Amino acid sequence: MNYTRRSFIKTAGMAGVAVSSQPFPLSSDASLVAEVINPYNRVPVSLIIDDSTCLVNMAYYGIPQFAGVFPDQYKQDWRKLPREIPDTFVREFGEWSIENGVKGKYSMVPFPGCTGWISRFIPGWTERELKNSLDLVREVILPNWDIHPEMVSHTRVIDLKTGQPYPYATPEYMENWEWSQKKSADELAAYQAYALKILKEVGLPCEGLTTPGGYGGRNQNNLALSTLEAVRDVYGAEIPHYFRDLFTEKDRSVAPQVLHPSGLEGPDPECVVSILGCTGDWFGGWDGLVPGSVDRFITEDLQAGRMVEVIESGEPAIMVCHWPGIYYNGEKVGFNILKEIKRRLDQKYDNLIWMKLSEIARYWAAKELTTISATKNTIVLKAPFAAPGFTVRINSSLRNPRVSAGGEGKPLVRIKDLKVLKIGTWYSERNGSVVCFDLKKGLNEIVIN
């Protein structure tokens, strides 16, 4: 069963074709095997922050618009919520994440709740306050967080011809519900490009997007294709990615899905990566009204919880939250839960690596799409995409291996403890070896003897 990102959304399973990764036999007798493993032999962890933007509390402005469509479902007293999530909190959160190495994705809704445009003005705040808010995102969010649009308004669908919301308060004209479910890939791409161009106008980098609520949930193949088209068209990103679904069931894979690969033999290869979350919003809810629980992520005794399940499976453990719940109306309930999760994870594990979604997407694209073959003494990797910290396990003890790419060879430094694996090093024992290096686009060779 899929976990719903909002209480009102039923997510769908992935569509499209994913390329799965398996160990590669490297000789005719299959005695030598190479397997691409996690970067630096560590488990990626990350945090997806939804419903964030400049100044505007999306819950305050979103709830009454959702209630206009489904009055029986949205009965929260939104008037008691603050209309603003202040920049003082953005600074506190951003500086804490830099200090503690926490990374992930941070949404910037371009026309938040139809209040105003982050590229122009938002009524209720001065132009200086909006500029300062954008500058703050660049200062304390960009170092550790990818920026995504969460489509245009996250509430009403915008008429691209006028820039105004359609006047119909029905599911067919809300971004969260029906509008996106039967649109073609080109129609979705045009809408997503509109959102991306606003972020580009304010100088924010972007390699992916986040779906608002149920957007594209029953139209996932076109969602993947439209993401590939829109992000490459507006930003020229080499490996577009998106967040749409999360799964909380034990033993359900949450590995990134590498979709629609093409042109892998040519100079301009393409693919798009669907990033999957592994938790529900157990921080403070999407509206900042439902306090969460640390124990659902990792228990006090460090033995259970969803993060423990996923980390010990070796797949990326990507948490999901909403900005109003992290702020929690000034009480910072979600933020304090995050701090305690980080403390417990640090107490239990020494093999984690915090990564942005774009970094995870790049690594998985390289992991799934790089072809591996061998000569007598050389492992040959043909990579459509580069990836730092590329890590390969070989079922043989090596002697003085070196890596070459583009005619330039580099010897690797042997380490005695696999926990200190880094770029340019290798670890070997009787039954196998692990090699870590920067994978270059094109041909790479590991000379094994």
Side-chain angles (χ1 to χ4, degrees), residues 2-6 8-15 48 50 105 148 151 175-177 180-181 209-221 223-224 227 241-247 259 273-277 320 357:
N2 299 0
Y3 181 90
T4 55
R5 286 177 51 209
R6 311 284 193 275
F8 50 83
I9 300 157
K10 293 181 179 179
T11 58
M14 287 304 304
I48 288 171
D50 284 357
K105 183 276 302 183
H148 281 191
M151 273 0 106
E175 289 186 350
N176 294 45
W177 287 289
S180 60
Q181 308 305 343
L209 55 83
T210 291
T211 62
Y215 184 102
R218 301 192 308 276
N219 194 13
Q220 296 213 28
N221 195 56
L223 173 63
T227 300
H241 66 275
Y242 65 97
F243 168 57
R244 154 68 253 165
D245 287 324
L246 61 87
F247 304 111
L259 305 171
V273 180
S274 170
I275 299 290
L276 301 178
V320 178
L357 300 195

Side-chain angles (χ1 to χ4, degrees), residues 128-196:
R128 172 58 61 181
E129 286 171 327
L130 176 56
K131 179 182 182 302
N132 289 344
S133 189
L134 286 165
D135 287 344
L136 185 61
V137 168
R138 297 185 188 96
E139 177 187 351
V140 302
I141 299 299
L142 278 185
N144 281 20
W145 303 86
D146 285 318
I147 299 298
H148 281 191
E150 207 162 335
M151 273 0 106
V152 184
S153 73
H154 203 321
T155 54
R156 295 287 189 96
V157 174
I158 305 305
D159 183 342
L160 301 188
K161 295 179 181 178
T162 66
Q164 298 297 317
Y166 285 102
Y168 316 112
T170 67
E172 289 73 23
Y173 287 91
M174 300 294 286
E175 289 186 350
N176 294 45
W177 287 289
E178 295 303 317
W179 178 84
S180 60
Q181 308 305 343
K182 295 182 180 180
K183 293 290 186 290
S184 69
D186 286 344
E187 288 172 313
L188 291 177
Y191 197 76
Q192 291 152 196
Y194 190 90
L196 289 161

Side-chain angles (χ1 to χ4, degrees), residues 197-237:
K197 288 175 181 177
I198 296 168
L199 299 191
K200 190 173 184 179
E201 186 178 341
V202 297
L204 294 175
C206 185
E207 296 182 41
L209 55 83
T210 291
T211 62
Y215 184 102
R218 301 192 308 276
N219 194 13
Q220 296 213 28
N221 195 56
N222 282 337
L223 173 63
L225 289 168
S226 64
T227 300
L228 176 62
E229 179 181 341
V231 179
R232 281 175 64 94
D233 180 60
V234 176
Y235 277 96

Side-chain angles (χ1 to χ4, degrees), residues 302-339:
L302 312 180
Q303 300 307 304
R306 181 60 175 155
M307 290 297 283
V308 174
E309 290 174 2
V310 178
I311 289 168
E312 295 188 359
S313 79
E315 293 186 344
I318 303 176
M319 298 177 285
V320 178
C321 72
H322 296 83
W323 196 229
I326 294 294
Y327 178 61
Y328 210 85
N329 313 312
E331 297 177 19
K332 306 177 188 177
V333 170
F335 188 24
N336 291 331
I337 288 173
L338 175 61
K339 289 179 178 179

Side-chain angles (χ1 to χ4, degrees), residues 401-403 410-414 423-426 435-437 446:
R402 63 183 185 275
V403 173
K410 293 183 179 180
L412 301 173
V413 176
R414 185 169 187 173
I423 293 168
T425 66
W426 65 288
V435 176
C436 182
F437 60 100
I446 304 173

